Amino acid sequence: MRATMRLHALARRATSGTVPANRSNNVAFIGLGRMGYEMATNLWKKKFTDNNSGELIVCDARQEVAMRFVEETSGKNASFVKTPREAVLSAGTIITMLPSSPHVLSVYEGFSEGIIPALKELSAEEAQKTLCIDSTTCHVSTSQELSQILGEVQVNIVDAPVSGGVSGAKAGTLSFLVGGPENSFALAVPFLNLMGKRVIHCGPSGSGLAAKICNNMVLGVQQAVVAEAMLLGQRLGLDPKVLARVINSSTGRCWASEVNNPVKDAVEVPEGQAGPPAQRKYEGGFAASLMLKACDRLFVLVSPLAKVTFKDMGLATGSGKILNVPLPLGKKAEEVYAEMLKTKPELANRDFSSVYKYLEEL
Ligand code: NAD
């Protein structure tokens, strides 16, 4: 009973199609996962704590998470809604941070509760004031198709996937790789600057995602090879701390060896910092399953646009196949992660640096 009362107190009222006069000042954030929660927190801290002219409205399929977010802000200029439709009716800027293409399509199209049907409920003038920013890492074609649909009703949309991981999301130091027309990019920059420190315009719709999947193919290969090297070194008798120090001051140095080293205690963790996920049994970080694929058959069935459900490595190798680009290392690394998730499904939600654990136990 008490929980229900609390829910009602934190939930946004006026969700029956009424559009608030200050809709343009409000921002909605949909998808409060590992990344989204931190990004929304920065957005709220930097935009809504000293300002009473707008509100941050959050939404997640796990309602309890959205509720926790609002509780943590003490409800100051923050509330939650239950559906993307309510988010659109309440806010002029909609940011989405979801697992992959099927989730993005579901949130945008979603029968009567999605973003696109909700935009149609608004007057043309109100709808055209809307800016959509999708930060999900998904298929380039998903973003291009959505941009075409929204373009027809003159709604701005950019793809703005991120690089920098959960630590970057928390510190507000993400890099945003943005695709979309110049005018939409210009509208998105002030919001992205509140959650990151670099915003790069990569070209037309889908370009941010194209850049992102190329980067993540490099990352996937590097994380796997760093795990191999750390394992080999130890089997050759090296202390992992010494090996990490050598790699990190030599030509093998990369984010995977330095920031996300897969061996517990191999790198020194500055006081007050959490260190790599290896320090916490690979909890947090970038889920291994997100490196490979996020397949949700239900979404694929209900959405005519849901064609590809692969995640980062699969998005890259899939594009390579379509475009006839040879990706021998990318494909090999994809196979390593696929084998890892098959033999050790319990690692699916752990950081992808747990590929080390998989190799160690082979
Ligand atoms: P996550 O799985 O932790 O979070 C996704 C969130 O979306 C969850 O809270 C889930 O409940 C919510 N969600 C799913 N379907 C929904 C729906 N229909 N309506 C509303 N909410 C819904 O994922 P994450 O790690 O935060 O990653 C999000 C995106 O960012 C992914 O595309 C990922 O590839 C990308 N990314 C992640 C990292 C990382 O280190 N975790 C780094 C860079 C980019």
Side-chain angles (χ1 to χ4, degrees):
M1 181 65 179
R2 185 175 284 178
T4 317
M5 280 165 63
R6 205 165 45 128
L7 190 100
H8 284 305
L10 297 171
R12 187 156 226 285
R13 282 176 283 276
T15 52
S16 55
T18 7
V19 176
N22 66 343
R23 177 178 174 268
S24 304
N25 296 334
N26 296 340
V27 178
F29 201 110
I30 306 177
L32 299 170
R34 294 170 175 87
M35 296 291 289
Y37 201 96
E38 307 297 346
M39 291 163 70
T41 301
N42 275 321
L43 190 61
W44 177 76
K45 279 187 187 155
K46 294 182 191 167
K47 190 168 168 64
F48 294 103
T49 41
D50 318 321
N51 177 339
N52 284 317
S53 67
E55 193 183 10
L56 180 63
I57 294 150
V58 292
C59 174
D60 195 282
R62 298 171 300 153
Q63 206 167 293
E64 69 282 5
V65 179
M67 205 167 108
R68 173 157 56 85
F69 183 94
V70 179
E71 276 180 339
E72 283 180 7
T73 62
S74 307
K76 182 172 186 330
N77 300 329
S79 60
F80 79 90
V81 291
K82 293 176 191 161
T83 65
R85 169 184 171 270
E86 293 171 76
V88 170
L89 298 183
S90 312
T93 302
I94 317 291
I95 304 173
T96 39
M97 188 54 162
L98 300 159
S100 193
S101 292
H103 313 82
V104 173
L105 290 169
S106 153
V107 162
Y108 269 85
E109 297 177 324
F111 299 117
S112 58
E113 296 300 334
I115 291 175
I116 294 173
L119 285 168
K120 291 181 185 160
E121 284 184 50
L122 297 170
S123 67
E125 194 195 347
E126 193 65 47
Q128 285 159 18
K129 287 192 220 150
T130 310
L131 167 67
C132 296
I133 301 175
D134 181 31
S135 281
T136 309
T137 304
C138 62
H139 204 272
V140 174
S141 67
T142 302
S143 152
Q144 289 170 337
E145 287 171 76
L146 285 177
S147 123
Q148 195 184 336
I149 295 170
L150 293 191
E152 281 163 15
V153 283
Q154 290 168 50
V155 171
N156 294 289
I157 179 168
V158 292
D159 48 302
V162 303
S163 168
V166 176
S167 53
K170 198 173 186 127
T173 56
L174 292 171
S175 293
F176 285 91
L177 317 171
V178 189
E182 283 286 351
N183 61 325
S184 308
F185 171 71
L187 291 172
V189 168
F191 297 98
L192 302 180
N193 276 336
L194 300 172
M195 300 179 284
K197 72 169 183 204
R198 255 183 307 272
V199 182
I200 304 168
H201 191 203
C202 302
S205 292
S207 311
L209 282 162
K212 169 69 183 168
I213 62 175
C214 291
N215 176 72
N216 274 30
M217 183 174 68
V218 174
L219 175 66
V221 171
Q222 283 181 334
Q223 193 69 69
V225 81
V226 166
E228 288 179 358
M230 291 301 295
L231 186 59
L232 177 65
Q234 288 175 85
R235 299 273 161 94
L236 287 168
L238 285 168
D239 178 336
K241 286 190 180 134
V242 173
L243 179 56
R245 189 143 45 92
V246 169
I247 295 175
N248 289 333
S249 53
S250 309
T251 44
R253 175 181 173 190
C254 57
W255 185 86
S257 66
E258 198 170 29
V259 180
N260 217 43
N261 195 293
V263 180
K264 185 173 184 292
D265 298 330
V267 286
E268 231 169 82
V269 179
E271 219 179 284
Q273 286 188 22
Q279 300 300 115
R280 303 175 293 284
K281 298 193 169 130
Y282 306 99
E283 288 288 353
F286 183 63
S289 59
L290 289 183
M291 195 35 111
L292 200 63
K293 58 181 167 182
C295 182
D296 189 324
R297 288 183 192 286
L298 177 68
F299 288 126
V300 177
L301 285 175
V302 298
S303 170
L305 286 181
K307 290 177 192 150
V308 185
T309 56
F310 289 102
K311 283 296 295 172
D312 304 30
M313 298 300 289
L315 291 171
T317 56
S319 299
K321 197 169 170 189
I322 293 166
L323 299 170
N324 212 10
V325 179
L327 305 172
L329 287 182
K331 273 195 192 150
K332 193 70 221 169
E334 184 188 9
E335 277 167 36
V336 171
Y337 290 108
E339 207 44 48
M340 157 181 166
L341 295 188
K342 200 166 131 198
T343 49
K344 293 186 88 59
E346 67 275 18
L347 296 180
N349 269 324
R350 304 289 162 117
D351 182 70
F352 73 120
S353 61
S354 60
V355 65
Y356 171 81
K357 238 5 265 137
Y358 157 70
L359 294 172
E360 190 189 36
E361 290 170 19
L362 262 188

